[in-house]
Amino acid sequence: MSLVALIKGRRGESGFGYASTAAEVTEGLDLSGRTIVITGVNSGLGYESARVLSQRGARVVGLARTTEKAAVACADFGADAVPVACELSDPQSVRACVEAVRALQTPVDVLLCNAGIMALPERTLIHGQEAQFFTNHIGHFILVTGLLDALSDEGRVVMLSSGAHSWAPDVGIHFDDLSFESGYTPNKAYGQSKLANLLFARALARRLAGSGKTANAVHPGVINTNLGRHMPLAVRAIAPIASAIGFKSIPQGAATQCYAAVHPAVAGVSGEYFADCNQARSSRHSRDEAMGERLWTVSEEIVAAL
Ligand SMILES: NC(=O)c1ccc[n+]([C@@H]2O[C@H](COP(=O)([O-])OP(=O)(O)OC[C@H]3O[C@@H](n4cnc5c(N)ncnc54)[C@H](OP(=O)(O)O)[C@@H]3O)[C@@H](O)[C@H]2O)c1
């Protein structure tokens, strides 16, 4: 058996592994009565997660950049799916989304923060912040902190991080130059934003400790989705081939976040990082409590100034 086949076939303590799909990790679960809010529901891993979780009976509140995009996707997730606009780069849109979700007056059982952008070729600013940091982290920070008291007693927050969190600058979150006035590279900036997602999950887990509510982060694997849209043409051209040989499929890519979101084995588990549907070790910086607390304070300051 080849090494690749061995890695793909390996299963961890959870009984699931690299090749498990979202359908497999949720098999036999009855999620009726659960409300699951998902960002980026119209594409890739978000769409697949919503599709599978709704098939298991969950009511999906599907968030996308526009109501139209959310509505088109939600048409596939059952009659009770609720489309809501949430443009993460626009604080007004995120705040309106928070109000719309709260207005449903239903406890949120899962807040799956899945939306994201990757590797913008040029340094781009949104409200004075680097665009990936703002979209991937600050937008979700506003959403999650706005919905904390709407979480159900055992509500789970799941942040989409990435193995690429280790691409962040050598210092981790570069507080002295958060928006890359110097040294911008697409991967470093993406890495910083994904490190922020992970640090935020852990900082949130500390705040939720003892409440029954949890926060975790996941790396979904490497999957050929629309996430690569900003990558150089040459990379995009070979992605389907690389995908056929070595990447995860979208159903496999959605498995880890679905596992963290609803599997009974994860009940009460908080402040952890999951990959291939199992707990995994993340980078030194991602485990730096002081860095996570500083990020929280800086994020609050950024949001307060918007
Ligand atoms: N694919 C991978 O290999 C991989 C690896 C590690 C981590 N991840 C993470 O997995 C998550 C899902 O990515 P994916 O692979 O499924 O990518 P995708 O197919 O590109 O989906 C990303 C989703 O995020 C939405 N989005 C982007 N910018 C947004 C904004 N400003 N406001 C609201 N929504 C926005 C997109 O909406 P539009 O379609 O309207 O732009 C889309 O629904 C991301 O957080 C990504 O960082 C993916």
Side-chain angles (χ1 to χ4, degrees), residues 28-216:
L29 298 184
D30 177 4
L31 301 180
S32 48
R34 305 258 194 108
T35 297
I36 300 187
V37 177
I38 307 181
T39 65
V41 80
N42 61 297
S43 179
L45 309 184
Y47 179 89
E48 176 64 6
S49 300
R51 189 186 70 79
V52 170
L53 296 171
S54 63
Q55 275 183 355
R56 302 293 181 228
R59 179 198 203 192
V60 166
V61 180
L63 277 42
R65 301 165 90 139
T66 63
T67 313
E68 292 70 25
K69 282 189 177 189
V72 170
C74 281
D76 296 341
F77 308 144
D80 59 352
V82 183
V84 182
C86 182
E87 167 54 65
L88 289 165
S89 65
D90 175 1
Q92 274 193 350
S93 169
V94 183
R95 287 175 179 139
C97 171
V98 166
E99 291 315 313
V101 175
R102 296 171 72 89
L104 296 173
Q105 298 191 326
T106 311
V108 173
D109 296 293
V110 177
L111 188 40
L112 179 49
C113 296
N114 159 87
I117 49 170
M118 180 184 187
L120 302 187
E122 306 289 339
R123 175 176 178 259
T124 309
L125 298 183
I126 296 174
H127 296 285
Q129 302 297 325
E130 193 282 319
Q132 291 161 89
F133 181 80
F134 197 94
T135 305
N136 298 350
H137 170 60
I138 295 292
H140 279 124
F141 183 88
I142 299 170
L143 182 72
V144 175
T145 53
L147 286 174
L148 275 186
D149 58 2
L151 275 182
S152 65
D153 289 347
E154 294 182 353
R156 302 185 190 185
V157 176
V158 178
M159 301 301 303
L160 259 287
S161 179
S162 168
H165 75 273
S166 61
W167 298 351
D170 291 344
V171 295
I173 302 293
H174 201 340
F175 291 107
D176 293 338
D177 184 12
L178 204 49
S179 57
F180 292 91
E181 279 179 32
S182 69
Y184 178 84
T185 72
N187 285 352
K188 250 191 219 178
Y190 178 66
Q192 174 168 269
S193 75
K194 290 287 130 178
L195 175 61
N197 288 146
L198 220 170
L199 286 166
F200 172 60
R202 291 212 160 110
L204 181 59
R206 287 192 287 278
R207 284 158 176 77
L208 296 176
S211 71
K213 302 167 190 181
T214 62
N216 291 293

